[in-house]
Amino acid sequence: MATFIASGGRVWRKFVKTFPLGSNLSLKRSPTSALANGRLSSTSSENVLVSKDEKSGIATVRMNNPPVNSLNTALLLSLRSCFEELEKDKSCRALILTSNKPKVFCAGLDILELYQKSPDYVGQFWEKVQDMWLSLYGSRLVTMAAINGHSPAGGCLLSLACDYRIMAEGNFVIGLNETQLDLVAPFWLRQMMVDAIGYRQAEMALMVGALYPSNKALQLGLVDKLVPIEDVQTVAEEEVKNWLKIPDQARAITKMASRKPLLDELRKRKQEDIQTFRDETTRESVQLSIQQYLDKLKAKK
């Protein structure tokens, strides 16, 4: 899966640097602090910040991998660990996924994880993407994407895996632009896109690697609500509380009835999916596309 393909904007040019792989992947509990409406407990890792309102059971997960929350090995492992820990926490009822970096939700996979790497490395990396997605898409929790910035490729994957998507209005984009780097979205990501916007719109979007501005994304059904960027978190918290009025068990069973077929299909075809991604990504033409993309970014520095 490609990272954001765009030539404009200073922040995107920073992709050429190698992002450090954090070693501290476990979530560490920090002292609690009192809030007006309850108590807030906090946990953190190097690249994922988590806080939970103990009264409501709503956790907020903030991606914190500067400059643009690229999904490298460390962030994928931290997200999966976070999702799994919250899933096991019986007091947790909902999860809001957002960015700690304003104007960028998540710029997709770290392209350097795919460039000039061995087939085995690429396959192991892709399995981490699969496992992270399985833990989020299959969560019993209410999951809400608070998309406070650009959300291409892997950012769109994270958003689609959530139950509801609130995006910042304005000059922000979301979509699956894999084909622009000669890559193909996996079957389970394609299916989420079809489920969100319908077969014909998804087919066209996937073929041309479309990135949609927020207003068009709302029109298509790729996101569910637009609000000013400064209100994304607040509106997400309000929306989650509406969802939590529904009994947890009935909501979770209904959710799993819809999602179980796709979850089971990936589990069944996991090795096949890894092999397909590994073979596609290590093709000479794909590696050349990645190299040309990186060269363009360097030239714009």
Side-chain angles (χ1 to χ4, degrees):
M1 184 172 301
T3 192
F4 188 26
I5 303 170
S7 58
R10 202 178 321 164
V11 67
W12 308 112
R13 298 167 194 165
K14 296 180 183 178
F15 275 120
V16 296
K17 68 179 287 187
T18 301
F19 297 106
L21 301 184
S23 58
N24 182 16
L25 303 177
S26 61
L27 299 178
K28 298 180 179 180
R29 184 157 302 276
S30 61
T32 59
S33 58
L35 293 182
N37 62 341
R39 294 186 64 83
L40 184 72
S41 63
S42 299
T43 60
S44 65
S45 70
E46 185 173 323
N47 44 26
V48 174
L49 308 176
V50 186
S51 59
K52 189 183 75 172
D53 186 316
E54 297 293 350
K55 182 176 180 180
S56 66
I58 300 172
T60 297
V61 177
R62 293 179 172 86
M63 292 176 283
N64 186 47
N65 189 32
V68 289
N69 290 329
S70 290
L71 294 169
N72 59 15
T73 295
L75 183 54
L76 288 168
L77 290 173
S78 292
L79 285 171
R80 178 189 177 188
S81 175
C82 168
F83 297 152
E84 290 178 347
E85 287 194 28
L86 292 174
E87 186 77 10
K88 291 184 291 187
D89 182 352
K90 299 305 180 184
S91 68
C92 185
R93 301 179 63 202
L95 180 162
I96 297 172
L97 180 62
T98 192
S99 169
N100 201 46
K101 306 296 174 186
K103 299 185 180 181
V104 182
F105 177 70
C106 171
L109 297 194
D110 184 347
I111 201 169
L112 298 179
E113 296 275 18
L114 309 178
Y115 183 54
Q116 296 183 339
K117 296 294 192 293
S118 71
D120 285 346
Y121 183 95
V122 172
Q124 291 165 9
F125 176 74
W126 189 244
E127 186 171 19
K128 294 176 178 66
V129 176
Q130 293 174 327
D131 290 339
M132 182 278 296
W133 177 79
L134 287 166
S135 65
L136 178 58
Y137 189 70
S139 175
R140 67 172 174 83
L141 305 172
V142 173
T143 56
M144 192 155 300
I147 309 166
N148 54 344
H150 294 294
S151 186
C156 187
L157 180 157
L158 289 168
S159 303
L160 286 169
C162 293
D163 303 339
Y164 196 83
R165 296 173 283 282
I166 297 170
M167 187 171 183
E169 59 190 21
N171 190 31
F172 300 111
V173 297
I174 185 171
L176 299 174
N177 57 329
E178 281 73 10
T179 54
Q180 294 190 35
L181 272 188
D182 199 18
L183 290 169
V184 178
F187 73 88
W188 43 276
L189 181 51
R190 296 196 303 268
Q191 187 59 55
M192 283 200 300
M193 193 69 158
V194 169
D195 291 343
I197 67 175
Y199 185 89
R200 178 56 181 153
Q201 291 296 329
E203 181 184 51
M204 290 191 294
L206 289 162
M207 285 193 294
V208 302
L211 291 172
Y212 296 109
S214 56
N215 58 345
K216 181 64 174 179
L218 179 65
Q219 179 186 337
L220 289 171
L222 190 52
V223 300
D224 301 298
K225 184 179 289 188
L226 296 184
V227 298
I229 189 169
E230 64 271 15
D231 297 333
V232 170
Q233 180 66 27
T234 300
V235 173
E237 291 171 0
E238 293 171 353
E239 186 65 36
V240 164
K241 289 175 182 176
N242 289 331
W243 283 60
L244 291 181
K245 294 174 184 177
I246 306 300
D248 288 346
Q249 186 173 9
R251 177 195 46 74
I253 290 173
T254 302
K255 175 178 177 177
M256 284 304 103
S258 299
R259 299 192 175 196
K260 187 175 185 298
L262 188 56
L263 291 163
D264 287 348
E265 187 69 12
L266 177 57
R267 292 186 181 109
K268 179 175 134 183
R269 297 172 57 187
K270 195 174 185 188
Q271 292 307 311
E272 173 194 333
D273 185 56
I274 291 171
Q275 182 71 45
T276 298
F277 185 82
R278 183 175 68 181
D279 291 348
E280 288 180 353
T281 303
T282 55
R283 278 190 291 119
E284 184 177 349
S285 64
V286 172
Q287 290 297 305
L288 180 59
S289 293
I290 294 174
Q291 180 183 332
Q292 291 172 344
Y293 174 57
L294 292 173
D295 288 344
K296 286 179 182 178
L297 289 176
K298 290 178 182 177
K300 293 176 184 295
K301 286 186 70 177

